[in-house]
Amino acid sequence: MRNSTPHIIVEGAVQYPLGKLHGNKILYDFEKILIYMEAKGRLLFGREFKIYEEDREVLYKLSNYAIRDFGTCRKMGLNPDKGILLSGPVGCGKTSLMKLIRYITPHFRPYEIIPSRNITFGFNHIGFRIIEDYGKGRFYCFDDLGVEPGGRHFGTDCNVMGEILLSRYDLFMETGIRTHATTNLNAQELEERYGNRVRSRMRQLFNLIAFDAQTKDKRK
């Protein structure tokens, strides 16, 4: 049954209206989205979780992308039909935000967040079927892209995530199914890790949203 009020999210006994209905469109309110995200973050990650003022710009981009506000995305240089590559220093909150942002649009199909290192370990154990599995038509966010170990299965070395990204690019071009990722690496480091061909495909596969390089480690 279709949810007639996807802009009103219920957590326990509390309702969080993220905007208001205008005809068949939702007019979202960014400040209300932030209130909900902080509340949901505390439920998911503990009472110490908070939304930091310094992250507002990143959150504004992620929120408008998630709600598919095409006009605002265009002004910010984002293409809603591509995936998100969220980059930033260690501990800045990339994974938490990619987990959280899914909840503001319960009427859209969610993506699954998978640590890149787990995929490589899977390849080392069962081989090339892993690349096939993650190259297919599900929605994924690959977490910590670029710092996973090298793949090796029965003496055969493989840049596992590089091969998966090539498969995801083909999938995107054929079906429009998007891929997301988080990374600590910059563009040059990603190219060194995966090569020019994969880096070229990543430009077409992802919108880049980046934390400031000086963003503090929130886990300390």
Side-chain angles (χ1 to χ4, degrees):
M1 184 173 160
R2 188 176 176 184
N3 182 359
S4 61
T5 56
H7 62 298
I8 300 174
I9 301 179
V10 179
E11 296 288 350
V14 183
Q15 287 191 347
Y16 295 92
L18 306 188
K20 56 188 178 183
L21 278 178
H22 184 71
N24 62 352
K25 291 180 67 176
I26 302 171
L27 302 179
Y28 283 94
D29 182 323
F30 180 56
E31 298 303 324
K32 290 180 178 177
I33 288 175
L34 291 184
I35 289 169
Y36 170 67
M37 285 184 69
E38 186 159 88
K40 185 66 175 179
R42 287 174 177 164
L43 288 172
L44 291 175
F45 311 123
R47 296 177 67 180
E48 297 76 27
F49 179 86
K50 63 178 288 189
I51 297 292
Y52 290 83
E53 184 67 25
E54 66 196 62
D55 297 339
R56 281 180 68 95
E57 183 180 349
V58 167
L59 281 163
Y60 187 69
K61 289 178 179 179
L62 286 174
S63 297
N64 279 283
Y65 173 86
I67 65 176
R68 298 184 71 73
D69 184 327
F70 290 92
T72 303
C73 282
R74 196 159 44 243
K75 289 175 187 172
M76 294 187 297
L78 301 177
N79 180 347
D81 293 325
K82 291 172 147 186
I84 292 293
L85 177 63
L86 185 59
S87 74
V90 172
C92 67
K94 299 181 295 296
T95 306
S96 297
L97 293 191
M98 288 305 287
K99 286 179 178 177
L100 265 179
I101 206 74
R102 298 175 295 181
Y103 290 97
I104 68 173
T105 50
H107 51 305
F108 292 159
R109 185 176 170 184
Y111 48 85
E112 188 178 353
I113 297 178
I114 308 287
S116 297
R117 67 196 300 270
N118 290 8
I119 297 174
T120 302
F121 292 150
F123 173 86
N124 295 348
H125 181 57
I126 66 173
F128 286 88
R129 198 184 83 207
I130 283 286
I131 294 172
E132 267 186 61
D133 289 346
Y134 285 101
K136 289 179 182 173
R138 295 178 65 181
F139 285 69
Y140 290 115
C141 174
F142 300 125
D143 194 30
D144 274 341
L145 186 67
V147 295
E148 71 279 357
R152 188 174 179 84
H153 181 69
F154 282 108
T156 301
D157 292 329
C158 180
N159 191 328
V160 177
M161 291 309 302
E163 292 299 323
I164 288 173
L165 289 172
L166 291 174
S167 296
R168 297 296 297 187
Y169 169 78
D170 291 340
L171 180 72
F172 172 65
M173 296 305 289
E174 291 165 11
T175 67
I177 289 176
R178 291 169 288 162
T179 302
H180 308 302
T182 71
T183 186
N184 303 331
L185 306 186
N186 60 34
Q188 183 178 342
E189 290 168 330
L190 285 168
E191 186 162 331
E192 289 170 1
R193 181 71 173 81
Y194 296 117
N196 179 260
R197 182 172 173 236
V198 173
R199 178 64 187 134
S200 174
R201 299 294 189 271
M202 289 176 73
R203 290 189 188 97
Q204 299 171 72
L205 196 57
F206 296 121
N207 296 285
L208 176 63
I209 297 179
F211 283 86
D212 187 280
Q214 305 308 312
T215 303
K216 64 186 177 184
D217 186 340
K218 299 177 177 74
R219 294 179 297 200
K220 290 183 177 178

